[in-house]
Amino acid sequence: DTGVSQNPRHKITKRGQNVTFRCDPISEHNRLYWYRQTLGQGPEFLTYFQNEAQLEKSRLLSDRFSAERPKGSFSTLEIQRTEQGDSAMYLCASSLFGTSLYNEQFFGPGTRLTVL
Amino acid sequence: AQRVTQPEKLLSVFKGAPVELKCNYSYSGSPELFWYVQYSRQRLQLLLRHISRESIKGFTADLNKGETSFHLKKPFAQEEDSAMYYCALNGRQGGSEKLVFGKGTKLTVNP
């Protein structure tokens, strides 16, 4: 296990197209988080899962965004009808919740989305 | 509202000089504070957290609840410390442990 992986690493799309990103967490990690990072900003929370249940969504996550974690392992983040404002780095993180006082979030390398 | 402020976007020091990266937070309860680091072309990784009160790579950070600060310090900076540093807060609201990040400070250590 080499850590959290994300695919693709880069995605260029035209405005109005749909895109889907995948995140593979560290094995056995039960929590999976999605963050978005735009230029000059720190990562911003989008949503998180505990196993297959999506427990919280940020107001940043418009109706065009949907995330799934169907079997409690990998997760997908889909953006429909992309807009130029969606251009950002999308980060995934995972953690093993419930085994210690604090559960470190391990981050993936991110998927950089450019919407033309 | 939970908020993390890092007032310096850029910080440049010479090798061997002391360095302090500032972080202030806004939170009504008892937060957990962290410093994350991102070296060039690498992923974001945890540097240290206030709960453990440890020193990592010579860096320390003390939580000051009175000043709502969590500044990161190192007495003698090294060139390999050059990186992007993010202060983050875990408000533990609703049990999510989602992190609230500051905008980051880019540290450059010159030879």
Side-chain angles (χ1 to χ4, degrees), chain A residues 2-5 31 33 35 37 40-45 48 50 56 91 95 97 100-109, chain B residues 9 32 34 36 38 41-47 49 51 84 86 90 92-104:
Chain A
T2 56
V4 179
S5 61
R31 284 203 169 178
Y33 298 78
Y35 294 85
Q37 185 173 21
Q41 304 293 318
E44 295 174 293
F45 169 79
Y48 91 100
Q50 178 152 324
E56 186 176 347
L91 297 169
S95 71
F97 177 75
S100 65
L101 183 63
Y102 171 69
N103 310 284
E104 180 178 346
Q105 292 185 28
F106 293 84
F107 282 81
Chain B
K9 203 169 186 177
E32 286 183 81
F34 309 90
Y36 277 79
Q38 187 167 28
R41 298 191 195 88
Q42 294 187 26
R43 61 186 68 189
L44 201 58
Q45 57 186 285
L46 179 65
L47 179 62
R49 50 187 179 255
I51 273 183
M84 198 73 191
Y86 294 95
N90 172 9
R92 285 192 176 272
Q93 286 185 341
S96 75
E97 296 195 334
K98 66 185 179 189
L99 295 171
V100 177
F101 287 86
K103 292 185 178 183

Side-chain angles (χ1 to χ4, degrees), chain A residues 12 25 57 61 70 90 93 99 101 103 111-112:
Chain A
I12 300 174
K57 291 193 290 187
L61 215 63
Y90 289 84
T99 57
L101 183 63
N103 310 284
T111 294
R112 181 170 295 284

Side-chain angles (χ1 to χ4, degrees), chain A residues 61-81:
Chain A
L61 215 63
S62 77
D63 292 344
R64 297 183 297 104
F65 287 70
S66 62
E68 294 183 340
R69 194 182 183 199
K71 295 183 180 178
S73 57
F74 73 92
S75 175
T76 57
L77 178 67
E78 181 184 16
I79 309 174
Q80 296 183 327
R81 305 181 303 281

Side-chain angles (χ1 to χ4, degrees), chain B residues 34-74:
Chain B
F34 309 90
W35 278 98
Y36 277 79
V37 62
Q38 187 167 28
Y39 300 102
S40 180
R41 298 191 195 88
Q42 294 187 26
R43 61 186 68 189
L44 201 58
Q45 57 186 285
L46 179 65
L47 179 62
L48 54 79
R49 50 187 179 255
H50 90 270
I51 273 183
S52 57
R53 301 183 63 82
E54 57 194 346
S55 172
I56 303 291
K57 299 184 179 183
F59 284 98
T60 59
D62 290 318
L63 179 61
N64 186 323
K65 291 186 178 180
E67 296 183 358
T68 60
S69 69
F70 188 56
H71 303 327
L72 182 68
K73 301 176 184 179
K74 185 169 182 176

Side-chain angles (χ1 to χ4, degrees), chain A residues 1-17:
Chain A
D1 192 342
T2 56
V4 179
S5 61
Q6 293 186 245
N7 289 289
R9 295 292 305 278
H10 303 274
K11 179 70 178 178
I12 300 174
T13 190
K14 292 182 180 178
R15 190 176 53 185
Q17 298 294 305

